[in-house]
Amino acid sequence: MLALSNRRSAWRHLALSGVAAVLLAGCGNDDPSEPSEPAAQAPAAAPAPPAVPAPAPAPAPTTLKSATDIGPPLTPNQLDSVVAASTAAGLAGASRCSVQVVEIVYATTAPDGTPAQASGAVMIPSGPGCEGPYPLAAYSPGTDLQRTRSMANIGDPEVQLVAAMLASQGFVVAATDYLGYGKSDLPYHPYLHAASEATASLDALRAARELGTQRGVGLNAKVFVTGYSQGGHASMATQKAIETGTVPEFALAGAGHMSGPYNLSSSVNAALGDLPLGDLGSTFYIPFTVTSLQKVYKNLYTTPGDFFQTPYDAAIEGIFPSPSGVSVSDLIAQDKLPILLSSLVTEGFIAAALNPASALHRAFVANSPTDFAPKARTLLCGGSKDPVVRYQNTRDAVAAFQAAGSTAVTSFDVENEPSYANLLRDDLVPVGVNGGYHASRVPPLCLLQVRNLFLTLR
């Protein structure tokens, strides 16, 4: 059997161990409210960050640098045990395929267009009744604090669930670790930077195709994209790149974006509207986003103290992502992060976040990948009681897509499915706040909805 430690606490998005119980008291409802007027005046308009560029062409001569099998193939029984321990138990059907997880290291590009290295995993199905050619699915994972985190780790609950729900049904899955994680050589992670998320995912798809050729794994022409939390943002950026950019080798058959922060400006403003606590995890994801985008654009602030209070400004640019073993509770204990959002951000940050002319606000807008009209069948899934990534992000994205003329987009709120009601209740799914609604209960149910859509389109 798989080594599934605490499977019900599942994915590690916004690793809030040790502080979650305190933060939960500040969880907002899913209707973002406008923050009150800041005391400080908005700073003068700074130069806007560049528009999100189309992903660079695949690096020459090849994308794939290395491929290493991680253990023996996972069996259908092992994969079924993963689903049985999740909220999708009894809903997903039996696994059809065994799955070999292969660690890949591949060439990609940094946000400034220079060559970079990334890593990830390719999940290859096989077995009787599971013959190819297979469709190819790009999967983008959720936020993680640990720089060593990799989708090639078969002990990782997110890896296990993706293998069980997608690869076991006959999809070859290419899952990026993103730049700055795993075996990437980029010294930072450009968190929620849409263009580099898309490039890392597209180059993972290219590497998966090269691996398929090397190993004689038949692939058909259909490509799908999906991801959860940060990965939902990344998969939406990837769909935008395919459908509006210069990547003609991919014919997108379908997309499924799950619980992502698609509207960055609205997400930040909603957290500010719930000061002093902010949203669950906002003292983590707001500085991660802002310091990452500062490293990309270099013009959001002059010094960290412009946006972050003392003593947190001193270390804030160097803690995301962190070395293995460092948690949010560790950062709080070391006075590198506070519990309250009001103790972290300055009045200058609040003013800039609310000022459409500021470089900060423009960076949020430039990295909200909702400014296109999806062509392939697209599903947005999430939960309207999510305290980490508000469901308003899904509403905003659907409204933007419809306003752009798309008729290919639908949404699914797990709270509106009567058969899911008991699966989302605390007393029936006894997970800690650390692995609660956003991280454990919603992902299997949304991945099931996405998988079912993909099966109709494969």
Side-chain angles (χ1 to χ4, degrees):
M1 301 295 290
L2 291 175
L4 302 180
S5 59
N6 194 16
R7 284 183 292 192
R8 287 191 182 276
S9 64
W11 303 356
R12 297 170 293 169
H13 310 298
L14 304 174
L16 297 171
S17 176
V19 298
V22 177
L23 292 173
L24 187 61
C27 296
N29 58 40
D30 79 294
D31 290 321
S33 57
E34 289 297 321
S36 59
E37 283 295 320
Q41 294 298 312
V52 178
T62 61
T63 301
L64 183 64
K65 290 186 171 184
S66 67
T68 306
D69 287 2
I70 305 300
L74 304 174
T75 68
N77 285 342
Q78 287 176 312
L79 297 167
D80 287 344
S81 73
V82 173
V83 178
S86 76
T87 48
L91 301 173
S95 297
R96 297 175 44 237
C97 316
S98 297
V99 175
Q100 178 66 61
V101 177
V102 182
E103 179 187 64
I104 58 169
V105 177
Y106 61 96
T108 185
T109 51
D112 63 1
T114 59
Q117 176 176 290
S119 59
V122 176
M123 305 177 189
I124 302 175
S126 65
C130 186
E131 294 79 12
Y134 308 106
L136 184 58
Y139 182 82
S140 299
T143 303
D144 200 276
L145 183 60
Q146 313 293 321
R147 194 190 190 288
T148 56
R149 197 273 175 98
S150 173
M151 290 299 288
N153 175 12
I154 59 173
D156 186 297
E158 186 172 7
V159 174
Q160 294 168 358
L161 192 62
V162 172
M165 296 289 281
L166 287 178
S168 80
Q169 299 300 320
F171 293 87
V172 170
V173 178
T176 181
D177 293 337
Y178 301 123
L179 289 164
Y181 284 97
K183 294 185 176 178
S184 173
D185 59 2
L186 197 69
Y188 74 99
H189 171 53
Y191 184 55
L192 298 178
H193 179 246
S196 58
E197 286 177 330
T199 302
S201 184
L202 291 169
D203 286 331
L205 286 171
R206 292 173 174 123
R209 283 187 167 176
E210 291 182 32
L211 181 62
T213 299
Q214 291 178 9
R215 298 196 174 189
V217 177
L219 297 172
N220 64 32
K222 292 189 176 180
V223 173
F224 299 86
V225 296
T226 187
Y228 188 82
S229 194
Q230 177 191 359
H233 179 275
S235 62
M236 187 176 287
T238 305
Q239 178 179 12
K240 177 184 172 182
I242 292 174
E243 293 190 335
T244 68
T246 55
V247 283
E249 74 265 41
F250 297 118
L252 192 65
H257 315 305
M258 302 176 284
S259 298
Y262 317 116
N263 188 335
L264 295 186
S265 179
S266 176
S267 295
V268 171
N269 289 355
L272 294 176
D274 279 342
L275 292 176
L277 282 171
D279 282 338
L280 184 63
S282 57
T283 57
F284 169 55
Y285 72 73
I286 286 179
F288 197 174
T289 303
V290 173
T291 58
S292 294
L293 294 179
Q294 170 68 12
K295 291 168 185 174
V296 173
Y297 298 122
K298 305 184 184 348
N299 70 340
L300 306 191
Y301 53 76
T302 302
T303 69
D306 295 342
F307 284 171
F308 304 108
Q309 298 180 37
T310 302
Y312 310 111
D313 60 324
I316 201 74
E317 291 187 316
I319 60 176
F320 305 114
S322 293
S324 179
V326 176
S327 68
V328 170
S329 57
D330 293 330
L331 296 176
I332 291 173
Q334 297 164 9
D335 284 333
K336 293 181 179 179
L337 285 180
I339 292 175
L340 303 179
L341 184 59
S342 62
S343 298
L344 176 65
V345 297
T346 64
E347 293 291 342
F349 172 82
I350 297 172
L354 295 175
N355 179 12
S358 75
L360 177 69
H361 188 278
R362 292 182 183 187
F364 290 156
V365 172
N367 291 284
S368 298
T370 60
D371 56 339
F372 73 108
K375 301 171 186 174
R377 286 275 301 279
T378 301
L379 173 65
L380 276 66
C381 183
S384 56
K385 293 185 179 180
D386 195 330
V388 177
V389 179
R390 301 190 189 209
Y391 192 74
Q392 188 62 39
N393 280 278
T394 295
R395 297 190 182 107
D396 289 348
V398 170
F401 292 149
Q402 291 176 343
S406 177
T407 59
V409 179
T410 57
S411 61
F412 185 89
D413 178 0
V414 295
E415 294 292 341
N416 290 339
E417 173 53 54
S419 65
Y420 290 175
N422 288 342
L423 302 175
L424 297 167
R425 285 170 50 193
D426 291 355
D427 57 336
L428 295 183
V429 186
V431 297
V433 176
N434 168 31
Y437 188 96
H438 179 79
S440 277
R441 299 169 206 151
V442 173
L445 299 176
C446 276
L447 193 53
L448 175 63
Q449 295 298 320
V450 169
R451 193 275 306 271
N452 289 345
L453 170 65
F454 289 1
L455 286 174
T456 67
L457 301 173
R458 56 187 280 167

